[in-house]
Amino acid sequence: MQHYKDCIKHLKRLVMGKTGKKAGKRLKKKDLSNMLIDLFQSNPEQLYSLKEIFKLLKLNTHPAKMLCIDMLEDLALDDYIKDNGKQQYCLNTKGQVFEAIFNRKANGKNTVTPTDGGEPVFVAERNALHAMNGDKVKVTLLARRKHHLREAQVIEILKRNDKSFVGTLEVRKDFAFLQTEDRTLANDIFIPKKALKGGKTGDKAVVKITEWPTNAKNPIGKVIDILGKSGDNTTEMHAILAEFGLPYVYPKAVEEEAEKIEPGITEEEIAAREDMRQVTTFTIDPRDAKDFDDALSIRKAENGLWEIGVHIADVSHYVKEGSIIDKEAIKRATSVYLVDRTIPMLPEKLCNFICSLRPNEEKLAYSVIFMMDDNATVKSWHLAHTVIKSDRRFTYEEVQALLEKYHEASEEDYNAPGDHAADPAFSGKDALPTEHFKEELITLNRLAKLLRAKRFEKGAINFDRNEVRFEIDEQGRPVSVYFKTAKDANKLVEEFMLLANRTVAESIGKVPKNKKAKTFPYRIHDLPDPNKLINLSEFIVKFGYKLKTTGSKDEVSKGLNKLLADVRGKKEQELIETVSLRAMMKARYSTHNIGHYGLAFDYYTHFTSPIRRYPDIMVHRLLTRYAAGGRSVSQDKYEELCEQSSAMEQLAASAERASIKYKQVEFMSERLGQVFDGTISGVTEFGLYVEVNENKCEGMIPLRDLDDDYYEFDERNYCLWGRKYHHRYSLGDAVKIKVAKANLEKKQLDYALVRN
């Protein structure tokens, strides 16, 4: 609203000019109001700019234009017309009553978003009719008070959001309550005894609200599932999944359907495919991986080129479109990786056995096969349904050990903190020694490095973040923390997967100018938010760095890469990387291609992980269809599938972060009273977030505990500063903390500042 008013004032100054001279008879306010109303009513769908309005109403004098701007402001405030934020206006055809989606906020500032588009409207709690987050509601606009926000009142709940709540049961004699940490729900949920489903005090339960009577303080619900005793590891992990609406058990009917699938490969199927069983092939995966959905093959071709095969599990051969397994996969859209477990997208028989590219087993694959020279230039490629046989299952650590042993690893790998890769003994009597594939692995590594260098030359952003991981004991308790670092072995696999993903996306999306590309799911990534880039630029100045925020895409990305390279190894590295990441947009799936900014690819998709991502299955099916000459599929249908996949990906990421946070709190709960060195990782009006340097466990120093001064929050400079003594706490500052509290229910750590 303030931005709108500033624009109006600026326009007034412009149209008044320097003299504000009057020409001819002065236009009356009532006459102009009628003229504007007639204009908008005669063309209710038309969007008019200020210039068009001045021209159509023949407003040639500065006073007339100024009066028109005043009238437009009044009409917009009265909701008679709508302003799209660019000084373009149209008739507000939305009535006083309309349908909307309710957005419940923890701070009480609830809003409704009109279902047919438009800006959110504020709804006070007293006017919310106990609507829940995501409910479809009917609302009426309240009469607008001058200089106040628009307000609406919920008059009917049309459709309840199918959301469930997770919490701890407190059972009384004739009824029970669910105590939940869901911040959008201020009150506990009342549960009649008949709806308890056998739950007892202290049980973690999943509850759905069945009604919320107008005059009742608490909503009424029923127990959907009992997860187990609060504090039990499996119970808590399932609670995290349920909290985000993610499945924690696999439907029996789907598993039974998977059991019926015949794992064997017929001679007819082999004959219909490109046979690559005799080509040297291996998988490279994490130590604890069970689903191997990609493999690499390499052999020297007669013309001096390298034939590199990127082989991906042919999941779509087994999972037929429209089947019960396919419908469940659409619903899940992704596998979910919590700290101590994987919740698979596909039934275990498919993901860990039939489709998994396990060593010494013949497997069906969908392969991108490249002919490549020593400079990693692709001379030709083709896509083929293949049958392969992996010679060896490698872990990243094994490959890294070999590369380091023969001095093929990057210098930064040798200088990386932590233990260097050790070559663990490979179990299994038929296992071949790592050395047997030395030349193949070294060649692939050299080619991958060249591919990586070319990618960065074209403007790809170089974010290599360490990930926190926990060693878990048999009871699921965290016993130690370690950091997962992407080294050359990881990057080797990554570069060939990126190459395959980009290549198949180009094969569909890159068409002549006069032709329309067929419908296809792309992985897209928009340019950074310009305002966030400016904030980043202003923030890093205090550390002595500069960042170009304007110019071409390439110039901005090269500036970001220079910044990330300059901070590497410095104490402010992690802080600046974190703030830089916040300026980035989130990648998502869409049939509308805009390219992938972070990777600097004009066309990109996900082809390489169909065992754990549904978009990859879609891509496999469409590539097969189009290769056979099939017509383009419905864009609306596939855009809907893309939106579902993007939404589930975000939920899965949130659940993964919640599980890490839970384990951090659990880990630090055994270290109450201990003192650690930390870094301020976040500054808010509520207090300081501090990350412990040695284990990355983040907690908060509440503002109430900073009792030596009256502190004010400077959002622009990411700091709190004291009025009296002018002490400043800024993002990135080194501090000492003591572990004060650990609340597992809230997944919350409280630290106390240890002052020198």
Side-chain angles (χ1 to χ4, degrees), residues 348-376:
E348 188 181 1
K349 185 175 180 183
L350 278 171
C351 64
N352 289 353
F353 296 98
I354 295 177
C355 295
S356 185
L357 305 181
R358 307 198 307 173
N360 304 312
E361 294 180 13
E362 293 180 353
K363 297 289 180 178
L364 300 182
Y366 206 2
S367 308
V368 190
I369 299 160
F370 299 97
M371 299 302 291
M372 191 179 282
D373 65 17
D374 287 328
N375 295 317

Side-chain angles (χ1 to χ4, degrees), residues 217-230:
K217 180 184 173 184
N218 302 83
I220 299 170
K222 65 175 182 179
V223 174
I224 302 300
D225 197 10
I226 301 294
L227 300 175
K229 275 291 172 192
S230 215

Side-chain angles (χ1 to χ4, degrees), residues 468-507:
V468 180
R469 291 289 183 267
F470 289 93
E471 291 287 353
I472 306 291
D473 67 16
E474 290 177 1
Q475 285 74 43
R477 295 188 68 81
V479 292
S480 65
V481 179
Y482 66 96
F483 304 105
K484 181 182 169 188
T485 305
K487 295 188 177 181
D488 277 0
N490 308 74
K491 293 169 186 176
L492 181 163
V493 176
E494 179 188 36
E495 286 306 321
F496 285 106
M497 298 306 125
L498 290 174
L499 179 63
N501 287 334
R502 187 190 78 196
T503 302
V504 298
E506 286 177 346
S507 73

Side-chain angles (χ1 to χ4, degrees), residues 145-341:
R145 293 180 291 166
K146 200 156 189 172
H147 308 304
H148 281 72
L149 288 171
R150 264 195 315 169
E151 282 195 51
Q153 178 179 8
V154 178
I155 55 176
E156 186 183 350
I157 294 169
L158 301 173
K159 187 182 178 185
R160 284 283 187 194
N161 180 23
D162 194 31
K163 176 178 167 56
S164 55
F165 293 86
V166 181
T168 306
L169 289 173
E170 184 185 326
V171 181
R172 308 278 176 85
K173 186 178 179 183
D174 299 314
F175 58 88
F177 284 104
L178 183 82
Q179 298 172 332
T180 174
E181 295 300 331
D182 192 304
R183 293 182 181 181
T184 65
L185 196 62
N187 304 311
D188 295 337
I189 301 171
F190 177 85
I191 304 167
K193 197 154 192 179
K194 63 182 180 182
L196 260 176
K197 209 173 180 180
K200 296 170 185 171
T201 295
D203 282 350
K204 269 274 167 74
V206 183
V207 168
K208 277 198 175 165
I209 291 174
T210 53
E211 60 175 318
W212 196 341
T214 308
N215 297 320
K217 180 184 173 184
N218 302 83
I220 299 170
K222 65 175 182 179
V223 174
I224 302 300
D225 197 10
I226 301 294
L227 300 175
K229 275 291 172 192
S230 215
D232 173 77
N233 184 61
T234 294
T235 297
E236 296 298 342
M237 293 300 107
H238 284 180
I240 287 169
L241 293 166
E243 180 186 334
F244 292 98
L246 295 167
Y248 46 89
V249 291
Y250 218 93
K252 282 188 178 178
V254 183
E255 287 187 328
E256 286 167 0
E257 193 66 25
E259 288 299 324
K260 296 175 187 175
I261 295 174
E262 177 54 52
I265 303 172
T266 64
E267 288 301 322
E268 290 79 13
E269 187 61 44
I270 291 173
R273 291 172 174 258
E274 191 168 326
D275 191 343
M276 299 195 71
R277 289 175 292 179
Q278 302 307 313
V279 184
T280 299
T281 304
F282 37 73
T283 60
I284 308 173
D285 289 281
R287 281 176 299 182
D288 55 354
K290 293 177 183 175
D291 55 337
F292 313 131
D293 46 9
D294 58 77
L296 292 169
S297 70
I298 178 170
R299 65 178 167 184
K300 194 78 172 174
E302 290 179 2
N303 52 8
L305 299 176
W306 294 103
E307 181 196 79
I308 311 291
V310 179
H311 307 287
I312 309 302
D314 194 356
V315 174
S316 62
H317 174 83
Y318 298 100
V319 179
K320 301 302 180 186
E321 192 168 4
S323 67
I324 186 174
I325 298 174
D326 186 50
K327 287 174 181 173
E328 183 66 23
I330 290 173
K331 210 159 49 170
R332 292 172 178 246
T334 180
S335 294
V336 184
Y337 296 90
L338 301 187
V339 166
D340 66 338
R341 69 196 63 209

